[in-house]
Amino acid sequence: MAVYRRSTRTRNVIAVLVLAALTLVTIDARSQGVGVLSDARSKISDAFAPLQRATHAALRPIGNFLTGALDYGSLKKENEDLRRQLAQAQASQAQALAQQQESDQILRNAGLTVPSGVPGVAARIIDVGPSNFDNTVTIDRGTSSGVAAGQPVEAAGVLVGTVRSAQPHVATVELVTDPSFDIGVALAGGNTGSASGTGRALPLRIRVISTNLKPPQQKVGDVIVTSGLDTERYPRGIPVGRVTKILDVPGAIEPEIELAPLVDPLQLSALEVLLWSPP
Amino acid sequence: MVAAVSPVFRARLRIGLLIVFTALVETTLGSDLRVAQVAPDLMVLLVICAGLTGGTESGAWVGFWTGLLYDMFLTGTPVGLSALTYCMVGSAIGALRTTFLQERRALLPIAAFVGTLAAVLLFVAAGTILGQSQLLGGGRSWIIRVMIVESLWNAVLALPAGYIYARVARGSAGAERVGAPIPTRTA
């Protein structure tokens, strides 16, 4: 009899906990980011931020050591590649500067504004998305530093994501590789497209927007930048990624383009949030 | 004053602190230890240890609270999804331990491997049923990669994690209700 009571109690406990969890999921999914549970999540996330920052500072060297040991071969090759890319970048920098000045002059002559000089806030990464299904990082700057949801986030001048949510002292950045990330990009021949993430360590995919224009003649290796059109969330001209593959879609005029992000934010410790909002 | 606090309560408090500490390690060190871009899931390892050490009920409780705390650090999935997954995995491991699995040296790593596989699969399946279709965004190959790498990580870390959990849960004489010795079947 005692065994029966214990078994019934256990079943009841499990049933209550499962129902409680299902109720929480339903409430949170229906509230769509606004409500008691979202508030609780924000407050707990904010309250844990100093602890996370301290733990991260203390444990980061261990993590770096272990990561370095696990990835020694690839890191050595990556280092060589980066040295070569740096040399190429330095050579093309002077050329790019001259072209930029010329481009700005043309825009000014045409009476168009150049969205340059957007102020930014430097932030440190304190948490690199704990879940393997959540392509986000947490940074140590929040609404108290002017950070707000929707702002673009860069690393070394390259777009790495957007602010998904911001609390007073921390913010969550959704990375470009997240399947829910979507951004307008400029393509060759005056075309535009929509670049979407497909998952961590996977390329972005560009869907070309159909127009009367000739399909874009992109080449592998081209750098794709944000379009900055009127309805877009980001300023024009921020590099997003490099073309790695051009796929012909059966039955479609426009190709599908795959794009590799230019930087891996998981290897970085600092980002910059652009304090920019669409006009 | 300290003596007035029951040993059971103290054991629960220690388990609670271990959950918080594990969450901090997971969100800082854990996410740096990526192999093939996949990070270990120390939270589910804690839940598996709780199920093996404390049985069905302990696995369910620890699973629920561990998952709920972990949900607070996730922004892409609704609050409660990890709690649901971990609660079910913890109670299932606990139930198997009390009724079916015998004490063996390799039990902990094997349970950690199989339990983690089940947890990832359950998380994606439950999430998709509950409208979180972005969990399938990386494709089938990504889910399989996550399942295998997470499970291998947890199998490797199972022995030290199991030792720490057993010490925390059984540290005081009154902790038996939480970290009770595993009942074994008698003929």
Side-chain angles (χ1 to χ4, degrees):
Chain A
M1 192 62 190
V3 171
Y4 173 77
R5 273 204 302 273
R6 187 184 174 89
S7 169
T8 307
R9 179 193 139 90
T10 304
R11 274 201 296 269
N12 289 343
V13 165
I14 294 168
V16 167
L17 291 176
V18 167
L19 280 175
L22 280 171
T23 309
L24 288 172
V25 171
T26 310
I27 292 171
D28 195 36
R30 280 173 179 263
S31 66
Q32 295 183 329
V34 189
V36 180
L37 290 173
S38 299
D39 285 351
R41 188 180 245 175
S42 299
K43 286 193 170 70
I44 288 174
S45 177
D46 210 34
F48 267 85
L51 269 175
Q52 270 185 297
R53 206 173 295 139
T55 315
H56 201 244
L59 298 181
R60 186 82 199 232
I62 302 170
N64 286 345
F65 173 75
L66 292 171
T67 308
L70 290 167
D71 298 334
Y72 179 74
S74 61
L75 283 176
K76 200 173 169 185
K77 187 179 176 303
E78 194 179 344
N79 199 12
E80 287 167 9
D81 290 346
L82 286 172
R83 282 175 197 277
R84 196 172 55 247
Q85 283 173 20
L86 178 65
Q88 287 170 349
Q90 282 170 340
S92 60
Q93 190 181 19
Q95 189 186 353
L97 188 65
Q99 286 175 346
Q100 182 66 46
Q101 285 170 347
E102 190 183 341
S103 163
D104 289 351
Q105 188 60 47
I106 292 167
L107 284 168
R108 269 192 293 275
N109 291 345
L112 299 171
T113 54
V114 185
S116 58
V118 178
V121 172
R124 282 197 321 142
I125 296 174
I126 55 170
D127 171 20
V128 182
S131 166
N132 289 314
F133 296 98
D134 205 8
N135 294 327
T136 59
V137 294
T138 306
I139 54 172
D140 67 346
R141 290 284 181 270
T143 51
S144 60
S145 305
V147 174
Q151 288 172 337
V153 182
E154 287 185 352
V158 174
L159 186 76
V160 292
T162 182
V163 177
R164 182 187 274 175
S165 61
Q167 290 84 49
H169 305 295
V170 291
T172 304
V173 176
E174 180 183 276
L175 301 177
V176 290
T177 48
D178 194 275
S180 57
F181 188 88
D182 197 45
I183 186 173
V185 291
L187 299 169
N191 286 281
T192 54
S194 172
S196 309
T198 58
R200 197 187 290 272
L202 295 170
L204 280 78
R205 199 156 284 168
I206 298 177
R207 191 172 47 80
V208 181
I209 295 169
S210 298
T211 58
N212 293 330
L213 296 167
K214 197 178 160 192
Q217 302 296 311
Q218 297 293 160
K219 294 189 296 293
V220 171
D222 285 354
V223 172
I224 301 295
V225 299
T226 52
S227 65
L229 294 175
D230 283 349
T231 53
E232 279 298 332
R233 295 174 290 169
Y234 307 122
R236 178 184 64 86
I238 305 176
V240 180
R242 195 182 294 277
V243 175
T244 53
K245 206 181 276 182
I246 298 160
L247 307 160
D248 287 321
V249 183
I253 300 169
E254 286 83 11
E256 199 169 82
I257 300 166
E258 280 192 359
L259 206 61
L262 289 170
V263 292
D264 180 3
L266 301 182
Q267 303 295 330
L268 303 171
S269 57
L271 301 174
E272 186 179 22
V273 181
L274 296 183
L275 303 180
W276 192 85
S277 53
Chain B
M1 182 65 190
V2 174
V5 178
S6 81
V8 172
F9 180 78
R10 269 191 278 166
R12 285 178 181 171
L13 197 64
R14 277 199 304 274
I15 292 171
L17 288 173
L18 182 65
I19 292 171
V20 172
F21 178 73
T22 309
L24 281 172
V25 172
E26 171 67 28
T27 57
T28 50
L29 179 66
S31 49
D32 285 338
L33 296 177
R34 290 181 184 274
V35 174
Q37 300 278 338
V38 178
D41 187 346
L42 303 176
M43 304 299 271
V44 80
L45 181 60
L46 181 73
V47 173
I48 291 165
C49 291
L52 285 175
T53 310
T56 313
E57 223 175 291
S58 179
W61 279 112
V62 173
F64 180 81
W65 288 112
T66 303
L68 197 57
L69 180 63
Y70 197 32
D71 278 327
M72 296 299 157
F73 293 98
L74 306 179
T75 52
T77 46
V79 173
L81 186 57
S82 301
L84 174 70
T85 308
Y86 291 179
C87 173
M88 291 170 79
V89 169
S91 57
I93 291 278
L96 284 174
R97 178 68 181 89
T98 49
T99 58
F100 178 69
L101 299 172
Q102 301 296 315
E103 183 65 48
R104 282 198 179 89
R105 192 170 289 182
L107 174 65
L108 198 51
I110 292 170
F113 187 87
V114 177
T116 309
L117 277 181
V120 176
L121 204 60
L122 195 59
F123 183 80
V124 175
T128 308
I129 291 167
L130 295 166
Q132 306 301 308
S133 56
Q134 82 278 4
L135 294 174
L136 300 172
R140 197 181 302 166
S141 60
W142 175 250
I143 295 168
I144 292 169
R145 194 201 295 187
V146 171
M147 284 170 70
I148 291 170
V149 177
E150 268 193 17
S151 301
L152 285 173
W153 258 122
N154 285 353
V156 169
L157 297 172
L159 287 175
Y163 174 77
I164 292 168
Y165 187 86
R167 285 290 298 254
V168 167
R170 296 178 182 177
S172 62
E176 285 184 6
R177 273 184 60 202
V178 178
I182 307 301
T184 50
R185 281 189 301 173
T186 51

